[in-house]
Amino acid sequence: MIKQFFSLAIILSTAICSAQNSFKVIPLGIYGGGDESNLSSYMAAPVHSDNYITLDAGTIRSGIEKAIEKGNFKQNSALQVIQQNIKGYLISHAHLDHVSGLIINSPDDTKKSVYTLPSVGNIITDKYFSWQSWANFTDTGETPRLGKYKMISLEENREIPLTDTEMYVTAFPLSHVNPYQSTAFLLRYNDDYLLYLGDTGSDRIEKSNKLEKLWKQVAPYVNKQKLKGILIEVSFPNEQPDKSLFGHLTPALLENELNILNGFCQPGKLKNVPVIITHLKPVDDNIEKIKKQLKEKNTLGIRYIFPVQGEKITL
């Protein structure tokens, strides 16, 4: 009887631990254009930590101000959060709706690292921190180099620690209007993972296998219930013609990609992973259409989350 009790206790303990939240995500910007105060950017940290990394940096200060209003930071000043809580920036690609907040806030920022694939980092230093466009706050590129930001080049599929945080990151290339690159970032804290994808087209449209390769990499974490969430873009409703997608997803294309991921997973496991929809383009009634279309055809039973600027998501 005692043996059975202890066995049951161990099983219950394991179930509780696997269901525990590991990450918190604060959306600083949720749109893919159209509103300069609300562009792609998410702060992520372990659930019990205040040492954040940003996943892209289209909007920073406006989003933090919203988060302060909602009680998500102890500080009353957005600048204090930028200087004290943001420990670095993961930039998926160099389009302005993903980097403008980083650039504009750089004069008031503190020393930290910017992590990118080499092709992305080169654009940031050559085109933006180039003195002709903006003062060079990085440690590479044109002189004089002010050295506030240490530019870290990520190697594909190689995990590295994120300085001054408790997290690690692995970068995977994505296709965003082939041959141009975007990036997926797989964050790890202890044995749990969070997956963020920058802008991406579907493999079918992009004539690529980059998403398929990514799905194969993360499927084992889905099976072990170690993948706590996926942040992925849906920019347009299904009515958008393929020729006008410009390296983005629709609800139907996302459904197709998630079905491919599901094919690499054990039955029923993927529906336990929340999917946060990013980069919606606020044109006409696009957002309402996207939400409706995602809910109408959800054959996998996915729990979709539509983020709100400044509102914390716990995963």
Side-chain angles (χ1 to χ4, degrees):
M1 184 72 177
I2 293 173
K3 246 185 197 180
Q4 288 176 331
F5 173 79
F6 278 111
S7 296
L8 181 60
I10 289 168
I11 291 167
L12 286 172
S13 173
T14 304
I16 290 167
C17 287
S18 66
Q20 283 179 342
N21 294 316
S22 298
F23 296 94
K24 55 186 175 183
V25 174
I26 299 179
L28 303 184
I30 65 171
Y31 295 143
D35 181 351
E36 65 271 19
S37 69
N38 198 353
L39 298 172
S40 297
S41 182
Y42 297 82
M43 288 176 70
V47 73
H48 299 302
S49 174
D50 289 323
N51 298 322
Y52 288 85
I53 199 84
T54 74
L55 300 159
D56 282 326
T59 290
I60 300 292
R61 200 174 303 220
S62 297
I64 293 172
E65 287 170 354
K66 287 282 196 308
I68 289 172
E69 289 173 10
K70 296 175 188 295
N72 289 319
F73 293 108
K74 299 169 188 173
Q75 298 93 327
N76 294 319
S77 160
L79 183 57
Q80 287 178 333
V81 175
I82 292 170
Q83 293 176 339
Q84 297 169 12
N85 296 107
I86 294 178
K87 303 301 182 181
Y89 302 92
L90 288 165
I91 304 298
S92 67
H93 63 297
H95 286 172
L96 281 170
D97 58 325
H98 294 257
V99 299
S100 57
L102 166 66
I103 297 163
I104 293 297
N105 286 287
S106 56
D108 298 325
D109 208 348
T110 48
K111 280 198 169 190
K112 55 197 63 166
S113 297
V114 177
Y115 304 85
T116 69
L117 289 177
S119 60
V120 177
N122 289 340
I123 296 170
I124 290 172
T125 53
D126 292 351
K127 304 298 183 186
Y128 300 139
F129 290 121
S130 66
W131 287 106
Q132 288 183 331
S133 299
W134 201 255
N136 185 7
F137 285 97
T138 79
D139 61 350
T140 62
E142 286 187 11
T143 56
R145 300 165 186 160
L146 302 180
K148 181 178 287 187
Y149 294 139
K150 183 177 182 181
M151 300 298 294
I152 306 290
S153 287
L154 300 171
E155 293 181 30
E156 297 175 16
N157 206 11
R158 179 171 175 259
E159 184 181 78
I160 67 164
L162 293 167
T163 303
D164 296 325
T165 80
E166 299 84 358
M167 296 177 290
Y168 295 77
V169 69
T170 307
F172 300 90
L174 300 172
S175 184
H176 183 37
V177 189
N178 202 352
Y180 299 109
Q181 277 193 335
S182 180
T183 318
F185 297 113
L186 184 64
L187 292 181
R188 178 174 69 83
Y189 169 62
N190 291 336
D191 294 325
D192 292 327
Y193 295 85
L194 179 67
L195 179 64
Y196 172 85
L197 291 84
D199 294 359
T200 182
S202 72
D203 281 350
R204 178 178 67 79
I205 304 294
E206 297 285 307
K207 305 292 188 292
S208 165
N209 66 345
K210 288 184 168 60
L211 280 174
E212 181 184 21
K213 289 167 73 173
L214 176 64
W215 301 146
K216 286 179 179 177
Q217 289 284 337
V218 302
Y221 307 129
V222 175
N223 294 336
K224 295 173 185 175
Q225 297 184 58
K226 293 297 184 181
L227 185 63
K228 297 299 182 176
I230 299 172
L231 290 88
I232 188 168
E233 69 123 288
V234 177
S235 297
F236 299 107
N238 290 332
E239 290 80 2
Q240 190 80 356
D242 287 358
K243 66 180 182 180
S244 303
L245 287 172
F246 307 112
H248 294 296
L249 294 176
T250 64
L253 290 171
L254 175 61
E255 171 85 4
N256 181 65
E257 289 296 340
L258 290 178
N259 270 288
I260 293 170
L261 169 57
N262 189 57
F264 299 124
C265 299
Q266 295 168 3
K269 294 290 188 179
L270 185 57
K271 69 179 181 182
N272 297 322
V273 182
V275 175
I276 300 169
I277 303 300
T278 68
H279 205 265
L280 298 99
K281 289 186 177 285
V283 179
D284 300 327
D285 59 347
N286 275 3
I287 292 177
E288 290 73 20
K289 282 183 179 178
I290 289 169
K291 290 180 178 180
K292 184 181 178 186
Q293 289 168 359
L294 282 170
K295 290 172 182 175
E296 280 178 348
K297 190 180 180 186
N298 186 3
T299 57
L300 296 172
I302 299 293
R303 179 163 72 94
Y304 290 117
I305 296 174
F306 300 97
V308 176
Q309 188 180 36
E311 287 192 5
K312 181 169 66 176
I313 302 167
T314 308
L315 301 164

